[in-house]
Amino acid sequence: MDTFRTVRSFPPAVRFLLVNQLGIDIGTFLLFPFLAGHLTGDLDMSSATVGVVLATIQLSHQGLVVVGGTASDRFGGHRVIPIGCLMRLSGFALFALVDGVRAVLVASVLTGVAGALLYPAMRACAAQAAPPDRRAEVFAMLNVFTATGGLMGLAVGSVLCMIDFRATAVTAAAVLMVMTMIQLFALPALATLDWANRRCHSRSAVHGWLFILRDRNFLAFSLTMTALTALENQIYLLFVSASQQVSGQLAAAAVMPMVGAVASLALQLRVTRLVRARGGPAAWIAPGLALMGLAFVPPLLTVSSGHPATGGRTDTVLLLVPLAVGAFLLALGQMAAQPSYLELVTRHSVGGLVGTYFGFFYVISGIAASACTSAVGWAMDVGERTGRLWLPWSCCAVLGLISAAGVIWIRHLGRLPGENDNPAPRKERTRAGVPPPRRRQGKREHAKRRTGSSQRARR
């Protein structure tokens, strides 16, 4: 009930963006978790080909997300979001209809480019539509609706996959088609916000990119936040692998993501309000990252043995408990850090470049997080060969603590925007292509100025 009251207290534009997030995530999670199984099982593709397909989606997304953010700034999120949704439903429909490698790659490119357009635009629109003092709360509710949409999509997709993957893909495309139609009618209400943002752009997009690349404070902040993306991805790698190992059941892979999603639904709003009341977002990012690092300590109690459960359900449950505790702590740290860093990205942005800032942030953190995830995979292989199964978990714990220390350091240097800081100083706004605001003169000031000019002329 508290969640519903909070949603009702937001402006109508924010409420629609939350529903839009829910619908897009339902359609996305209807298909994405089952795509690899379809490619290997139904289409009989090799693991290498499946890896290329998944990498194509990731590269299309991460490589063009800056373009999506810039398009949102210059043309308006109310135009970019429907285009991205239409491209994603086209990709999903292709997955249902084609079986050749080239056609699957085309569908992958459409799906990845759609994500590059959707997510920066949705975050930028949410930042513009939210009241300035409630942005963290809006971002927290976006996480809640994302978790809800993910759970609903997984549940429906699991049932439809028992029938046929094509039924799953067609249903996902149909959901996104409905969302696109709704967006075409509802999103134009955000046009005024987009125009207030776009009127700041008097120079080219490249100028905005160069300006952001010269923003050292923002770049340092983005680099220190790479651990969050890398660690949250481990719920689908390290935690899933360990749960399958200790239980001997493939179905156990769904348990750990479920723990995080349920925890987010139950606690995200409370954690965000606690962050807002006790120091603000800048004070809670480092503790959240540290907690995410410490979340990898309890699973060490399970993986150190390296043997699957053989004593029945009781032993299996006891071995899964440390993993579930770690997944819960990981979700709790993410609840504290993620809405906070999204709000700080908004505060870093200047000159109406909100979407472009989000695009650069996702590119920087995504590339670095991919490198970190590759290193974790290497540590998993080394641990299996040498019997040091604790190695990848220890690496993740150290990564979280190092990232937390980095955030503390840049905050100590004053490179994080504070609660009451103006995110766009006068000099920086001029450099970004935004002229400083002109002061309107009243009638008395104008009369005084004319009188002074005439007196000087007489002299």
Side-chain angles (χ1 to χ4, degrees):
M1 294 301 294
D2 190 24
T3 300
F4 288 110
R5 285 195 297 268
T6 303
V7 172
R8 291 180 61 184
S9 68
F10 290 140
V14 175
R15 293 201 297 267
F16 173 76
L17 290 171
L18 293 175
V19 175
N20 181 66
Q21 183 78 54
L22 176 69
I24 289 177
D25 285 319
I26 289 175
T28 299
F29 282 89
L30 265 168
L31 183 138
F32 268 162
F34 313 103
L35 179 60
H38 166 67
L39 297 178
T40 56
D42 299 334
L43 302 186
D44 197 24
M45 292 185 179
S46 64
S47 299
T49 304
V50 175
V52 171
V53 171
L54 298 179
T56 300
I57 296 175
Q58 187 69 21
L59 289 175
S60 301
H61 186 176
Q62 296 292 343
L64 297 176
V65 70
V66 172
V67 177
T70 303
S72 174
D73 288 335
R74 300 188 70 85
F75 305 112
H78 68 288
R79 294 190 178 96
V80 174
I81 292 175
I83 293 174
C85 201
L86 185 62
M87 292 184 68
R88 175 154 289 186
L89 75 88
S90 301
F92 285 4
L94 274 180
F95 280 128
L97 298 175
V98 302
D99 53 8
V101 176
R102 293 182 179 178
V104 168
L105 287 176
V106 172
S108 302
V109 171
L110 286 174
T111 304
V113 174
L117 294 175
L118 281 171
Y119 290 99
M122 290 193 293
R123 296 298 183 269
C125 285
Q128 295 162 18
D133 59 337
R134 301 188 68 186
R135 281 175 180 164
E137 200 170 356
V138 170
F139 288 132
M141 291 306 302
L142 283 174
N143 290 344
V144 171
F145 276 72
T146 296
T148 305
L151 287 176
M152 295 173 65
L154 282 171
V156 177
S158 300
V159 175
L160 291 175
C161 272
M162 296 180 183
I163 303 172
D164 185 21
F165 174 81
R166 288 176 173 81
T168 305
V170 170
T171 304
V175 171
L176 293 176
M177 174 63 76
V178 172
M179 293 307 304
T180 304
M181 298 301 296
I182 296 174
Q183 290 163 4
L184 292 175
F185 287 100
L187 280 177
L190 296 174
T192 55
L193 294 172
D194 289 325
W195 171 249
N197 186 37
R198 298 196 319 272
R199 68 181 180 180
C200 299
H201 295 282
S202 59
R203 301 188 185 181
S204 66
V206 176
H207 175 81
W209 296 352
L210 294 176
F211 173 75
I212 294 176
L213 291 175
R214 291 194 295 266
D215 191 344
R216 296 181 180 179
N217 294 342
F218 172 72
L219 296 179
F221 173 71
S222 300
L223 288 174
T224 56
M225 293 304 301
T226 56
L228 188 143
T229 304
L231 295 182
E232 68 182 1
N233 288 341
Q234 300 311 312
I235 196 71
Y236 301 103
L237 180 61
L238 269 177
F239 282 89
V240 166
S241 176
S243 61
Q244 291 176 344
Q245 180 185 13
V246 301
S247 65
Q249 300 291 330
L250 292 177
V255 175
M256 298 303 128
M258 190 78 68
V259 170
V262 172
S264 179
L265 288 174
L267 299 175
Q268 177 68 83
L269 193 56
R270 297 181 181 180
V271 171
T272 303
R273 288 175 175 172
L274 176 65
V275 169
R276 182 180 175 185
R278 301 290 181 87
W284 281 86
I285 293 179
L289 288 171
L291 186 59
M292 291 181 71
L294 295 176
F296 292 85
V297 175
L300 288 173
L301 303 175
T302 298
V303 301
S304 59
S305 61
H307 299 290
T310 57
R313 293 184 177 180
T314 303
D315 289 344
T316 300
V317 171
L318 291 176
L319 290 171
L320 287 174
V321 166
L323 289 171
V325 171
F328 174 77
L329 294 177
L330 187 67
L332 193 62
Q334 185 180 354
M335 290 179 218
Q338 192 172 56
S340 300
Y341 85 69
L342 290 174
E343 183 176 358
L344 288 187
V345 171
T346 305
R347 292 181 182 177
H348 273 290
S349 63
V350 296
L353 300 174
V354 182
T356 309
Y357 266 84
F358 272 112
F360 267 92
F361 179 84
Y362 287 136
V363 166
I364 295 170
S365 61
I367 293 175
S370 298
C372 294
T373 302
S374 300
V376 170
W378 173 81
M380 291 175 66
D381 292 336
V382 172
E384 291 178 358
R385 289 198 306 266
T386 61
R388 300 173 180 176
L389 300 179
W390 49 265
L391 183 60
W393 302 91
S394 301
C395 291
C396 289
V398 171
L399 178 62
L401 296 176
I402 291 176
S403 184
V407 172
I408 293 174
W409 177 248
I410 64 174
R411 188 188 179 206
H412 174 72
L413 295 178
R415 295 186 177 183
L416 289 182
E419 288 293 326
N420 299 318
D421 289 346
N422 182 6
R426 184 176 183 134
K427 181 183 293 186
E428 292 185 347
R429 285 214 296 238
T430 303
R431 289 176 58 195
V434 183
R438 297 181 61 182
R439 184 182 175 185
R440 298 184 62 180
Q441 294 180 351
K443 293 183 178 180
R444 293 184 178 179
E445 290 186 49
H446 186 66
K448 288 181 180 180
R449 189 172 180 178
R450 292 187 60 182
T451 303
S453 300
S454 61
Q455 289 177 356
R456 287 194 297 269
R458 292 173 185 173
R459 293 174 183 173

